Amino acid sequence: MVLDEAQVKEIILEGVDPLISKARKRADRINMHITGRNTKDYLEKLDNYENEAQRQLKEKLLKSNKSLFSFLLRPADQVFSANGGSIQYNLSERSLESLKDAVSDVNEGLSVKDFLRKKVFKNYVIDPNGLLMCDIDEFGGVSVNFYPTKELFWYKRNGNRVEAIIFNPYENPDDKNDNKEYFRVIDDVSDNIYIKDGEDVWLDQTQVLDNFFGYVPANVVGDIFDVNEPLFLSFIDDVLDDAQERLRDVNTNVVHKLAHGYAKYWQYPEACTTCGGGGELKYQEGEEVKTKVCYTCDGSGVKSKKDASDLMLIDIPQEGEQKLTPDVGGYINPSIEIWQQYDKDIKETGDYMYECLWGSYFSRDPEAEKTATETFVNAQIKNARRNDLSKNFERLHKFILDCYGKLLFGKGYESSVSYGTKYNDESPDVILDTIFEASEKNISSSIIGDLQMKYYQSEYANDQMELSKKIKLYKVDPFPNLSAQDVKELGVTGLELNKKIYYPQWVNQLTDAKIILMGEDELRKDLNDYVDNLKLDTNVSEEVQEGAAKPEQ
């Protein structure tokens, strides 16, 4: 798309695009829930339910939904860490190294995937109508940034692809007396600055630049279409009303705890020790004796504050009089039931939001048993939601790679990006129990093999080096899903059987460096050499010691 000067002038004079204004308001509200910023602006005063003093106390002790959404969005972390997936750069080895070097630092030292995970994902949730844009920096290199809608004035899109942008105006930083507004305008062929002074708008001829990309290098980050208007919805749009309700409940509970959550002390009144219960103090002024209000009890004559060392003297009851002690004082305890109900409602709202967001239930009971069908369905629904996220961030990842590639190698460059979808929700212990159960039931060895790989990926999810070692050794293992006894019963003899028998012994003598530096074929040869050096009788006939058909831990 190419904008002519008349079109740009008309757009600028009309003011900020109404859709951009609406997207900004939505983003501000979501940002409040995600980061806690300006929360008090969204906290309603409950007329007829709270007074102004309670409202002010609620603002002073304000608690946001930030921790809740940190929890709700946690399953999305695995979009960026799931196993599997691939990136096809479609380049020669020499060109590939150039591109990989260029994208190793796309923003503040971050790789493409780390940048998308650490800086773009949260903005994607908060402001789905914002833009991910590749730009040419002052040194002629590529810089990648997210532009929220508050920095945008107008843009035209086709799906997620942006065809033209006008950024929010800025003032001349070199001239504080200059009241003009400066607009950056990008289309397929140019990157220009327009100046607005009152009702006049014109192109700054001194700042006319070609668009080196040949297209607008920007993409809208959102992927959930609003059916009512041409905007994108947030990933958490379905639970925003519930989030507002929880915000109100949490802060009402905070005020209630302070106002009614402490035990209140009571006792029968005691005379003020300063004035003796009269409420007044006498003093002499010249010849005249005057009185003044007691400064301790403010004239009430009753002690209102007690010290831990104070002693209360009680008259000995006469015959027929009721004995007061020990009921001369005590505490009125608040209702525990109302506290418990508040906590229950708040937790249930959070759990309900989790279920709405991910389509799967959340259980706080680690001992609760689930059927295999329940577990499978629960995981499948959540994974379907994560797959949608993966596809969107694959798109953004490819967009960044292609921007770099087209600039380095020409406009015909195209990459291919596929994120992994093997999400590790189960703990290693649960997977290990499944392996043992599958082995006892003689399940197919290929299924047991898949479970073993899943176990390694879960156990070493945060240690890629160790994961790589375990997977490499698994692939080198002769008959990895069978014990040595099973292998012998299959009729395997000689060197192949001995390799299976002595495989664990061989693994134990390997160094970490050897496992890391040697390839799979080199390790297989090393196993062969190790067994050969043992000088064993290849006609093994004695009973072999059964090895464990389970992953090494």
Side-chain angles (χ1 to χ4, degrees):
M1 180 178 186
V2 179
L3 296 173
D4 60 37
E5 291 187 39
Q7 288 176 302
V8 174
K9 291 177 183 179
E10 182 180 354
I11 293 169
I12 290 175
L13 290 174
E14 284 180 352
V16 178
D17 185 341
L19 288 173
I20 295 287
S21 297
K22 182 169 288 190
R24 290 177 183 177
K25 290 179 181 178
R26 291 182 179 183
D28 286 342
R29 181 189 179 202
I30 297 168
N31 189 42
M32 176 272 296
H33 286 299
I34 299 292
T35 69
R37 186 174 185 180
N38 298 326
T39 302
K40 75 176 184 179
D41 294 342
Y42 292 85
L43 202 60
E44 317 102 325
K45 178 183 175 183
L46 303 177
D47 294 326
N48 302 323
Y49 291 94
E50 64 180 9
N51 56 38
E52 185 58 30
Q54 289 172 322
R55 161 77 174 178
Q56 291 176 4
L57 180 62
K58 191 157 62 173
E59 288 184 0
K60 185 176 181 180
L61 303 171
L62 195 62
K63 188 173 182 181
S64 73
N65 278 331
K66 182 164 65 172
S67 60
L68 170 67
F69 277 98
S70 176
F71 159 70
L72 290 178
L73 294 173
R74 193 61 59 204
D77 290 348
Q78 292 202 33
V79 168
F80 303 97
S81 61
N83 293 289
S86 65
I87 298 177
Q88 301 296 326
Y89 292 94
N90 302 322
L91 291 169
S92 65
E93 188 171 338
R94 182 176 179 181
S95 297
L96 176 60
E97 290 304 315
S98 298
L99 182 57
K100 282 188 173 182
D101 182 64
V103 299
S104 62
D105 177 4
V106 297
N107 186 293
E108 297 191 39
L110 299 173
S111 65
V112 177
K113 184 173 276 192
D114 283 344
F115 170 65
L116 292 174
R117 176 171 62 90
K118 295 180 178 181
K119 301 195 72 173
V120 176
F121 177 74
K122 191 169 283 189
N123 281 305
Y124 156 80
V125 175
I126 293 171
D127 194 358
N129 295 283
L131 305 181
L132 183 64
M133 180 170 165
C134 295
D135 208 350
I136 305 296
D137 62 26
E138 57 185 319
F139 304 107
V142 179
S143 67
V144 186
N145 293 286
F146 174 82
Y147 289 91
T149 48
K150 66 182 180 182
E151 296 182 19
L152 305 172
F153 188 84
W154 172 95
Y155 65 74
K156 174 73 173 176
R157 67 175 177 83
N158 182 4
N160 290 93
R161 185 173 62 83
V162 178
E163 297 182 331
I165 313 171
I166 301 179
F167 289 89
N168 252 10
Y170 62 90
E171 296 180 354
N172 187 346
D174 300 323
D175 186 356
K176 295 184 179 179
N177 296 318
D178 185 358
N179 295 321
K180 302 182 184 71
E181 294 180 309
Y182 295 77
F183 294 79
R184 184 184 179 191
V185 180
I186 305 175
D187 60 20
D188 287 343
V189 299
S190 63
D191 186 345
N192 302 324
I193 300 297
Y194 279 76
I195 302 173
K196 179 178 182 288
D197 187 2
E199 294 298 311
D200 294 328
V201 178
W202 66 91
L203 173 65
D204 185 352
Q205 297 291 343
T206 65
Q207 299 194 61
V208 175
L209 297 174
D210 290 332
N211 182 342
F212 294 104
F213 290 94
Y215 60 96
V216 178
N219 249 231
V220 186
V221 296
D223 62 327
I224 304 172
F225 290 92
D226 187 335
V227 298
N228 296 311
E229 47 198 335
L231 287 170
F232 288 99
L233 295 174
S234 170
F235 179 73
I236 63 170
D237 183 75
D238 290 342
V239 298
L240 287 178
D241 291 341
D242 300 290
Q244 190 67 32
E245 177 186 346
R246 185 184 184 277
L247 180 69
R248 182 180 63 245
D249 288 350
V250 166
N251 286 284
T252 299
N253 188 30
V254 168
V255 173
H256 180 272
K257 282 198 293 185
L258 284 176
H260 307 290
Y262 295 95
K264 288 183 171 54
Y265 180 73
W266 68 270
Q267 72 166 58
Y268 289 113
E270 290 182 72
C272 173
T273 54
T274 302
C275 65
E280 294 181 337
L281 298 174
K282 293 181 179 181
Y283 67 98
Q284 191 164 350
E285 191 173 284
E287 296 286 330
E288 186 178 1
V289 177
K290 295 185 176 182
T291 61
K292 62 181 180 181
V293 175
C294 176
Y295 57 81
T296 300
C297 65
D298 290 330
S300 68
V302 177
K303 182 186 287 188
S304 58
K305 296 181 180 179
K306 285 184 67 65
D307 187 90
S309 62
D310 286 351
L311 175 66
M312 177 189 288
L313 296 176
I314 300 173
D315 293 334
I316 298 173
Q318 300 298 314
E319 186 176 349
E321 291 181 342
Q322 183 179 357
K323 182 181 178 182
L324 296 177
T325 56
D327 300 323
V328 294
Y331 288 93
I332 302 172
N333 290 315
S335 169
I336 299 300
E337 289 77 11
I338 190 65
W339 274 20
Q340 292 174 337
Q341 188 61 47
Y342 272 135
D343 288 342
K344 182 173 180 291
D345 289 348
I346 289 168
K347 286 179 180 177
E348 285 183 352
T349 301
D351 293 348
Y352 173 75
M353 291 169 66
Y354 182 94
E355 292 167 10
C356 288
L357 192 62
W358 294 105
S360 60
Y361 59 81
F362 175 78
S363 173
R364 296 182 182 276
D365 182 4
E367 303 300 324
E369 292 189 8
K370 308 181 187 73
T371 67
T373 303
E374 283 178 322
T375 302
F376 176 77
V377 171
N378 201 37
Q380 287 295 97
I381 297 173
K382 185 194 296 185
N383 289 344
R385 188 80 159 146
R386 283 193 285 213
N387 287 345
D388 288 340
L389 282 174
S390 288
K391 287 184 175 63
N392 189 52
F393 280 88
E394 287 171 5
R395 171 180 67 83
L396 297 175
H397 194 134
K398 171 179 165 56
F399 163 74
I400 294 173
L401 285 182
D402 288 354
C403 282
Y404 275 86
K406 291 177 189 297
L407 207 61
L408 291 171
F409 310 115
K411 295 179 181 179
Y413 177 78
E414 291 283 342
S415 63
S416 176
V417 179
S418 174
Y419 278 12
T421 55
K422 295 179 180 178
Y423 310 113
N424 296 320
D425 286 321
E426 293 178 298
S427 71
D429 291 341
V430 171
I431 300 172
L432 202 57
D433 288 342
T434 305
I435 292 174
F436 291 146
E437 185 179 348
S439 299
E440 290 172 359
K441 293 182 178 180
N442 293 320
I443 302 296
S444 166
S445 61
S446 63
I447 294 177
I448 294 176
D450 289 340
L451 287 171
Q452 287 180 324
M453 294 298 288
K454 189 176 180 180
Y455 167 81
Y456 289 137
Q457 290 162 354
S458 179
E459 176 70 16
Y460 305 105
N462 299 313
D463 189 345
Q464 291 300 310
M465 184 69 73
E466 195 64 26
L467 175 62
S468 176
K469 286 164 51 182
K470 294 297 183 183
I471 291 177
K472 189 182 289 185
L473 290 174
Y474 174 81
K475 291 180 177 179
V476 171
D477 184 356
F479 310 98
N481 305 317
L482 299 174
S483 68
Q485 185 63 41
D486 292 335
V487 173
K488 183 183 178 185
E489 289 175 358
L490 290 174
V492 178
T493 60
L495 178 62
E496 293 304 312
L497 178 58
N498 283 333
K499 284 196 297 183
K500 182 61 186 180
I501 295 171
Y502 292 99
Y503 171 80
Q505 185 176 314
W506 169 73
V507 169
N508 289 336
Q509 56 83 45
L510 290 174
T511 63
D512 286 343
K514 199 169 187 178
I515 300 171
I516 293 168
L517 297 175
M518 295 178 73
E520 293 174 20
D521 289 339
E522 291 174 304
L523 286 170
R524 290 189 185 95
K525 183 178 184 303
D526 192 75
L527 173 60
N528 278 351
D529 294 342
Y530 178 83
V531 173
D532 283 341
N533 290 335
L534 293 176
K535 306 298 184 183
L536 299 168
D537 180 4
T538 57
N539 296 314
V540 178
S541 57
E542 66 274 19
E543 184 75 12
V544 300
Q545 187 174 21
E546 185 169 350
K550 63 179 182 180
E552 296 169 37
Q553 300 178 57

